[in-house]
Amino acid sequence: MKRMLLQKKILVVEDNMLNREMLCEILSSTYEVLEAENGQEALDILEKHWEGISLILLDIVMPVMDGYAFLSRTRSDPDYSTIPIIVTTQSDTEADEVAALSHGATDFVTKPYKPQIILHRVASIIHLRETSAMIQRVQYDRLTGLYSEEFFYHSANDIVRKNPQQEYDLLCSDIENFKLVNDIYGIAAGDRLLCKVAEVYREIAGEWGICGHLNADKFVCLIERHHLEYTDAFFSRINEQIRSLTNMKNLVMNWGLYQVGDRSLLVEQMFDRALMAARSIWGQYGRYFMLFDDEMHDRLAREQAITDVMETALDEEQFEIYLQPQYDVKRDHLSGAEVLIRWNHPEWGFQSPGVFIPLFEKNGFITKLDQFVWSRACGVLREWGDRGYPDIPLSVNVSRADIYNINLPDILMDMIQRYGVPPEKLHLELTESAYTESPDQIIENVGKLRRLGFLFEMDDFGSGYSSLNMLNNLPIDVLKLDKEFIRNETAKAVTPGILYFVIQMAHSMDLHVVGEGVETKEQLERLSQIDCDYAQGYYFAKPMSCTDFNTFVKDTKKG
Ligand code: C2E
Ligand code: CA
Ligand code: CA
C-alpha cells in the first residue's frame, strides 16, 4: 500500500485500445497508469488528479478532442502547463514532430512502441521536471515569493557583470528590533509584516529591478539608477504605509543605499555596504534613509587595514597589557587591578581599544588576543607571587565569543597551571549585555568556570537592560557599575538614589560592588556613603604599563 502511494502517476491518452493496453503494460511495472480515450476525457481526469500526475503520453489522432487541441488547452493552463507531455504518433516525419513540439509537447516517440526506450524517456523526463521544480522552489523565497538569497545574489551579480554601461543602485532595509516584533505580535504577524514589506519592494523595483528576501527582516533590491528619487520624504512615506498596513505603530524600518561604482565588488559586498548605511541611522528619530558615503568607505578601509596587520601585530608584540588599580573604598588601600590591552603600532602609533576591540569581536580575532592578555596577566601574577607582593587579584576581560567556546575551561586551567597561579586570583569580567543576550548558555559555561574556582564580575552593569531581579539567577561574584551609570547617577542631587538601592540589593545577594570610571573626589565620597566596596578610575590612576604599575605600588607602599 505504501509503495502504491509513492508510485508516480502517468496519464495515457489514446483512442486505440490495443495501443493503450500495450502502453499500460509497459508502464505499469513502474508507474500507476490512468487512461483516457480522447482529449476531453483526459481533461476531465486532469481536473481531479492534475497535482499527482507526473507525465502524459498523448496520441495525436483521436475523436472528440485530438492531441493538438489537448496540447493547446493544457499548455495555456498555469496548473497543467508544467506537466510534461510525450506525443506518440504513427509516422516519424519531421513535420509531425515539429507540429507536436511547436504545440508544446516535451518529447516525441513513434509507434510501434519499444518498451525500453519508452521507459527510459519517461523516467528521464520525470526526473528533469522534478529537478527543475526543486530549482524553482529555491529560486523563490517561500514566504514572500521574492527571490531567495542565493538566487538573488546569483542573478544580481550576473546582471551587473553583463551590463557594464548601465548604472545600478542597491537598496536594502532592516527593521529595528525585528526579533521583538515577533516576540510581541507573534510569528504570524511577523510573517504578515514581511509579506507587506515584500509588496513594497515589488513596487519599488517595478520593471527596473529585481528584489530578494535574504533572511529574517533583510530585503534587498538591485535597481537601474534614475528610476527613483531617494529622498527622506519618500522613505518616511513608505514606513508610514507599512505601519498603517500592519498596525504596528512603532515600527521603524531603516533603508540603506549603495550606488554601484566599483564593479569588482560582489553584490554580497555591496549589500554589506548598503546595510552598513542603514544601520548607521539606527535609533535616530525621524531618519529612515542613508546613503553609503565616503566616510563609511574610509571606515571600512581602515577596518580592512587593521584586519590585514593584526596577526603580525600580535607576533611582533605590538600589543601590551596595561593595569589600572582598584581600591577598597572603606579601607583606602589597593585591592586589585583591571588588565586592559594597548596596541602601539610602529607606524600608526597608539590605537584605541574602542576602535579595534569591536572589530576583533566581529572578525573573531578577539579570542586569540584575549588569550594573549590572560597569559600575560598570569605571568604578572606569577611574578608578584614569587616576590610576595602586591597580593592582589587581576581582572581580565572575557569576550562573548570566548564564553561560547566549550574549550574555555581547559584553556584557562592550562594557563593558570602553567604559571602556578590560583584561579581565584584571576577575575573574569563579562559584560552585562552578554548575560542578557543568551542567559542559559552563559549561565552554564560561567557556572562551570566558577566551580573550577574562577570569580566572575559582571562588567558595565547599568549600561544595558538587565533587571535587578535577574541578578538573582546569574552566576556572578562581583558587580561592576558602568562608568556612565555612575557619572549620571552621582550627578543627581537625589539621595539615596538608585545607586544606593542597586548596591543594597547586590549586597543582599552576597555580591561585591566595584564602581568604575571614578574621576572625582565627590564621586568617590558619594560611593563611599552608599557602601560601594571598591572603586577604579582616573581619580586614583589611569591604566599604566606593568613596569609603571610596579613602581606605583612601591611608591604607594612608601607613601
Ligand atoms: P571596560 O572593560 O569597561 O574598561 C574600562 C575602560 O574605562 C577602559 O578603557 C579604561 O581605560 C577606562 N577608564 C578607566 N577609568 C576611567 C575614568 O575614570 N574615566 C573614563 N572616562 N574612563 C576610564 P579602555 O582601556 O580604552 O578599554 C575600552 C574597552 O575595551 C574596555 O571597556 C573593554 O570593553 C575593551 N577592552 C580593553 N581591553 C580588553 C581586552 O584585553 N579584552 C577584551 N575583550 N576587551 C578589552
Ligand atoms: Ca572591563
Ligand atoms: Ca566596564
Side-chain angles (χ1 to χ4, degrees), residues 429 459-460 480 482-483 516:
E429 289 190 10
D459 201 359
D460 308 327
K480 223 174 158 184
D482 183 59
K483 48 183 174 298
E516 197 175 37

Side-chain angles (χ1 to χ4, degrees), residues 384-512:
W384 290 350
D386 290 344
R387 199 200 299 150
Y389 74 92
D391 184 20
I392 54 168
L394 284 179
S395 301
V396 293
N397 290 286
V398 171
S399 297
R400 232 171 285 258
D402 300 320
I403 210 79
Y404 288 119
N405 180 355
I406 48 165
N407 298 322
L408 183 63
D410 289 341
I411 293 172
L412 281 166
M413 280 312 278
D414 277 359
M415 215 177 264
I416 58 166
Q417 277 161 4
R418 194 158 13 107
Y419 287 95
V421 169
E424 67 275 9
K425 274 280 190 290
L426 196 65
H427 291 199
L428 305 174
E429 289 190 10
L430 187 59
T431 183
E432 176 193 8
S433 56
Y435 281 98
T436 44
E437 264 165 30
S438 54
D440 290 347
Q441 195 154 2
I442 299 280
I443 288 172
E444 197 185 315
N445 295 345
V446 169
K448 208 177 286 170
L449 283 159
R450 280 178 86 221
R451 283 191 293 280
L452 289 170
F454 294 96
L455 294 179
F456 266 86
E457 303 187 8
M458 183 191 268
D459 201 359
D460 308 327
F461 181 82
S463 66
Y465 302 99
S466 64
S467 60
L468 277 172
N469 51 26
M470 193 178 152
L471 284 181
N472 230 341
N473 303 317
L474 293 177
I476 42 175
D477 306 279
V478 176
L479 200 61
K480 223 174 158 184
L481 305 177
D482 183 59
K483 48 183 174 298
E484 292 304 317
F485 185 46
I486 290 192
R487 199 207 321 261
N488 294 335
E489 291 304 320
T490 52
K492 292 177 187 164
V494 270
T495 41
I498 189 170
L499 274 179
Y500 171 77
F501 292 110
V502 169
I503 293 172
Q504 292 303 305
M505 177 102 173
H507 284 164
S508 76
M509 289 183 261
D510 278 336
L511 303 178
H512 285 129

Side-chain angles (χ1 to χ4, degrees), residues 324-328 331-337 384 390-393 534 549 552-553 556:
Q324 185 179 32
Q326 294 175 343
Y327 281 80
D328 185 318
R331 281 171 295 244
D332 190 29
H333 68 72
L334 186 71
S335 59
W384 290 350
D391 184 20
I392 54 168
Y534 306 102
F549 191 86
F552 177 83
V553 170
T556 20

Side-chain angles (χ1 to χ4, degrees), residues 271-337:
F271 171 76
D272 286 344
R273 295 180 171 199
L275 188 65
M276 183 174 173
R279 293 244 163 108
S280 72
I281 45 169
W282 247 74
Q284 289 186 26
Y285 181 76
R287 288 199 64 186
Y288 306 116
F289 170 68
M290 186 73 195
L291 191 72
F292 179 86
D293 58 17
D294 291 345
E295 195 224 320
M296 291 181 207
H297 184 269
D298 292 348
R299 195 162 82 220
L300 271 189
R302 243 184 351 259
E303 288 190 357
Q304 190 55 51
I306 293 179
T307 305
D308 290 343
V309 301
M310 62 194 185
E311 295 273 359
T312 327
L314 187 59
D315 293 344
E316 291 180 353
E317 309 210 345
Q318 294 169 16
F319 291 105
E320 183 186 358
I321 60 165
Y322 266 47
L323 304 178
Q324 185 179 32
Q326 294 175 343
Y327 281 80
D328 185 318
V329 173
K330 285 276 144 62
R331 281 171 295 244
D332 190 29
H333 68 72
L334 186 71
S335 59

